[in-house]
Amino acid sequence: PMLVAAQDFKFNLGQRGPEIYEDYYGIFFEELSHSGEGGLYAELIQNRSFEDNTSSPDHWTAVGSATLTLTTDNMMNANQGHALGLTATAAGDGIRNDGFWGICYASGETYKASFWIRSDSEWNGTVTAKLLDSSANAIGQADIAVEAGTAWKQYTATITATATAVGGYFDLCLGSATTVELDMVSLFPPTFKNREHGMRPDLANMLWQLHPKFMRFPGGCFVEGQES
């Protein structure tokens, strides 16, 4: 091993160093390990627009005897590359999302669910949105009357959780056999200052209490794009 000579350091605690102005104290956001999506951003659904994997709908599984396929036809807009094709063979078939390491629900808290839907067969029926605990027991649900035509249409619902759960799931189930396409499936808890598509109140409130003079965003390499 290489030996390094000892060094003596002397500090004068009575001498003030350069003054750092209050305007220089701020916060720095870096998108690593889901610090944004799945962290500060309050969205509870992972891969809500089915873009995370071009060959399979990651974090989505079939409910009942449903068949799931990714489609690239008839997108909502030019920004969407994929949607989910859902074929239900019986009432109750649907899709399930496991969130970010499971979805946490708080008893008595109200959640806002939304999704976009279309169908070449112009299906009219009921879509049931469900909050599920870690054992897939329903702890809240809403039945949504849907008219699915060839044009994309958004539906929303509010659901109040009847129990607290950790590691839960979210389901969308169809009321009869049919084939539809889904996109932008979303579930939000209450947000910081009740802002639409806002941030998690616990994390955002801690950042707000720091009273930063500035916020650097974005940071890191995740938002700079992918290598060609």
Side-chain angles (χ1 to χ4, degrees):
M2 183 177 64
L3 299 178
V4 179
Q7 298 289 329
D8 293 331
F9 294 91
K10 295 182 179 180
F11 298 91
N12 184 350
L13 300 182
Q15 181 178 352
R16 179 183 176 89
E19 183 177 358
I20 300 176
Y21 295 99
E22 290 185 359
D23 289 345
Y24 290 170
Y25 289 96
I27 55 178
F28 168 42
F29 178 86
E30 187 164 3
E31 173 62 293
L32 292 173
S33 301
H34 288 286
S35 58
E37 183 188 33
L40 184 60
Y41 190 44
E43 174 67 74
L44 296 173
I45 301 299
Q46 186 163 187
N47 193 20
R48 66 180 182 179
S49 61
F50 309 103
E51 306 292 350
D52 286 7
N53 189 329
T54 59
S55 59
S56 66
D58 289 357
H59 300 283
W60 293 97
T61 54
V63 175
S65 301
T67 301
L68 311 184
T69 58
L70 288 178
T71 178
T72 57
D73 297 327
N74 302 309
M75 293 294 97
M76 290 171 51
N77 53 54
N79 296 319
Q80 296 297 108
H82 299 83
L84 183 73
L86 166 61
T87 298
T89 59
D93 286 357
I95 56 174
R96 175 168 299 170
N97 189 268
D98 58 13
F100 298 88
W101 305 282
I103 301 176
C104 295
Y105 297 111
S107 180
E109 202 161 76
T110 299
Y111 299 81
K112 182 178 179 179
S114 66
F115 59 91
W116 290 76
I117 190 170
R118 69 172 299 278
S119 174
D120 288 332
S121 58
E122 299 189 356
W123 175 74
N124 293 344
T126 300
V127 174
T128 301
K130 298 180 181 180
L131 314 182
L132 306 176
D133 64 16
S134 59
S135 299
N137 298 312
I139 57 172
Q141 70 178 56
D143 294 327
I144 307 160
V146 167
E147 296 181 3
T150 55
W152 286 100
K153 188 174 181 180
Q154 185 184 33
Y155 289 88
T156 63
T158 55
I159 310 171
T160 300
T162 59
T164 295
V166 176
Y169 307 93
F170 176 73
D171 280 9
L172 284 180
C173 298
L174 306 184
S176 63
T178 189
T179 296
V180 298
E181 293 176 4
L182 296 165
D183 210 342
M184 291 301 295
V185 181
S186 176
L187 183 68
F188 268 86
T191 60
F192 180 65
K193 295 189 176 181
N194 296 315
R195 290 170 177 161
E196 191 80 4
H197 306 294
M199 296 181 287
R200 274 179 49 174
D202 53 350
L203 297 179
N205 189 58
M206 287 189 288
L207 296 177
W208 175 77
Q209 289 180 352
L210 293 173
H211 300 295
K213 295 298 183 179
F214 67 87
M215 176 178 177
R216 178 185 169 182
F217 175 87
C221 299
F222 183 83
V223 294
E224 293 177 2
Q226 298 177 347
E227 295 182 1
S228 59

